Amino acid sequence: MCDIWKDNKNLKQLTEGDVSQLMCALKKFGTKQVVMSGGEALLNPNFFLFCEMLKKENIKISLLSTGLTIRKNAKKLIEWVDDIIISLDGDEELHDSIRNVKGAYGKIYDGVRFIKSIKPEYKITARTVIHRLNYKCWSSIIGSAKEMGLNQISFLPADVSSHAFNREVLWSNARQNEIALQKEELPVLQEIIDFLVQNYKQEFENRFIAESPQKIKKIHDYYAALHGLNPFPFKKCNAPWVSTVIEADGTVRPCFFHEAYGNIHDNPLDKILNGEQAIRFRKALDVSTDNICAKCVCYLNLPVTANISG
């Protein structure tokens, strides 16, 4: 559901110099974790160099990946990356169909099993966007995650209405209708969620399914809200106060969804995050009433430890 790879027309990537410049600010803020994503972060030829630089400062590294090359990079991933989060869209047939990559599921499966054969305790989880193309296969997705030997799987609805993830142009109505559940499909989605809550109690209790039943139910409420049937589910989020997003071209955002307020090629990261524009944004932002926050599908709520003003 991410269009970053489509809209990065200039093929911009963070360089060793960019990351070296960032290290001063990351140390200043006491950064605990860096999440590497893309597109596909492993396509950056400097990926493991970045990891080495971050590890020297005892910063944990998580990788969001399609999983297509994790077997090829298995030994380096085990050495430099603390955990991997795989995008999983369905069982084998459905995943390959949605990704439009023949054999994609098999590459994930082989990669996960290979890494686990080397280091069984290594944490690999999955993240699945539930949408019109896969919601009826929800149970089989859970089954596939188990069969692979994944540690956990997380679910969220599809963002169909924002400029997030590098969408220069909002999705057309046709594209939105392809992905978002239609009004007449909502009762079936509710039945599926009720089935999951009733029949996967152990998976909820042992956190193989990352979300609580209450959060899973909010996926229905999100799609219902798109049709005006109820408000968008409330989300408690403090992402702009505890984290930041740095894109491939150096753009700095408070999160994936809100507008940028700087670029590391113009100013150091610490000056951007504690600059007038960023402070003004955070002071004015009320996540309980902001329209962008209301429709957000990916939110964060962590203890505040960073030295960010405002």
Side-chain angles (χ1 to χ4, degrees):
M1 299 305 104
C2 171
D3 287 342
I4 291 175
W5 64 275
K6 292 181 180 178
D7 286 328
N8 189 6
K9 298 180 179 67
N10 296 320
L11 301 179
K12 294 178 180 176
Q13 301 186 76
L14 292 177
T15 67
E16 180 181 356
D18 293 332
V19 177
S20 294
Q21 175 191 339
L22 287 170
M23 292 310 302
C24 291
L26 296 181
K27 288 189 286 184
K28 178 178 179 180
F29 290 128
T31 303
K32 303 296 184 184
Q33 182 181 25
V34 168
V35 179
M36 302 281 211
S37 66
E40 175 55 65
L42 286 171
L43 291 177
N44 189 311
N46 292 316
F47 175 79
F48 290 107
L49 174 60
F50 297 163
C51 292
E52 185 176 357
M53 295 165 70
L54 293 165
K55 280 295 186 180
K56 287 180 179 177
E57 301 301 330
N58 295 316
I59 296 173
K60 290 186 176 181
I61 300 168
S62 295
L63 169 65
L64 295 179
S65 174
T66 61
L68 297 180
T69 63
I70 60 171
R71 173 161 186 156
K72 173 184 174 182
N73 294 288
K75 292 183 179 179
K76 286 187 176 181
L77 287 168
I78 291 171
E79 180 179 4
W80 295 111
V81 175
D82 292 279
D83 67 282
I84 303 171
I85 305 167
I86 300 293
S87 297
L88 182 64
D89 292 316
D91 56 19
E92 184 169 6
E93 181 179 359
L94 183 58
H95 180 86
D96 288 3
S97 174
I98 290 174
R99 290 279 156 174
N100 197 27
V101 178
K102 187 177 181 179
Y105 180 95
K107 289 181 179 179
I108 296 173
Y109 185 95
D110 289 345
V112 171
R113 302 291 287 188
F114 184 65
I115 290 175
K116 290 289 188 177
S117 71
I118 299 172
K119 190 175 182 179
E121 70 274 19
Y122 189 85
K123 186 177 180 182
I124 310 177
T125 62
R127 180 174 295 172
T128 299
V129 177
I130 294 295
H131 49 74
R132 194 179 185 192
L133 302 178
N134 67 1
Y135 77 102
K136 291 182 180 179
C137 300
W138 205 328
S139 289
S140 64
I141 295 172
I142 297 172
S144 294
K146 286 184 174 182
E147 185 180 0
M148 283 185 185
L150 295 171
N151 296 92
Q152 189 179 60
I153 187 166
S154 175
F155 299 100
L156 71 162
D159 169 43
V160 299
S161 60
S162 82
H163 282 286
F165 311 112
N166 232 19
R167 291 177 191 154
E168 293 182 0
V169 179
L170 289 175
W171 277 1
S172 65
N173 288 335
R175 176 59 171 158
Q176 291 186 40
N177 290 334
E178 178 187 357
I179 298 301
L181 272 77
Q182 301 303 294
K183 186 176 180 179
E184 59 271 18
E185 295 172 313
L186 292 174
V188 178
L189 175 63
Q190 185 63 65
E191 290 177 5
I192 291 170
I193 290 175
D194 290 343
F195 176 85
L196 294 176
V197 171
Q198 181 63 34
N199 291 277
Y200 287 87
K201 291 181 179 179
Q202 182 177 347
E203 287 79 3
F204 282 111
E205 289 174 1
N206 64 22
R207 298 296 305 280
F208 181 78
I209 298 175
E211 291 77 20
S212 66
Q214 290 71 30
K215 286 188 176 181
I216 291 294
K217 291 175 182 178
K218 288 183 179 181
I219 294 179
H220 170 277
D221 296 341
Y222 168 83
Y223 284 116
L226 290 178
H227 296 285
L229 300 178
N230 52 247
F232 283 95
F234 173 75
K235 294 163 285 288
K236 187 177 181 181
C237 177
N238 62 356
W241 291 271
V242 300
S243 65
T244 191
V245 171
I246 304 167
E247 297 182 348
D249 64 355
T251 296
V252 178
R253 297 179 183 273
C255 67
F256 285 107
F257 295 86
H258 281 283
E259 293 295 325
Y261 43 36
N263 190 295
I264 62 170
H265 297 138
D266 299 324
N267 288 294
L269 180 63
D270 56 330
K271 289 190 176 181
I272 294 172
L273 296 182
N274 281 329
E276 181 179 346
Q277 183 178 354
I279 291 174
R280 184 169 62 248
F281 168 82
R282 289 191 293 271
K283 284 184 175 180
L285 180 63
D286 184 344
V287 297
S288 65
T289 59
D290 183 85
N291 187 55
I292 292 176
C293 293
K295 296 182 179 181
C296 178
V297 300
C298 181
Y299 52 96
L300 188 69
N301 189 47
L302 295 176
V304 178
T305 58
N307 182 27
I308 301 178
S309 301

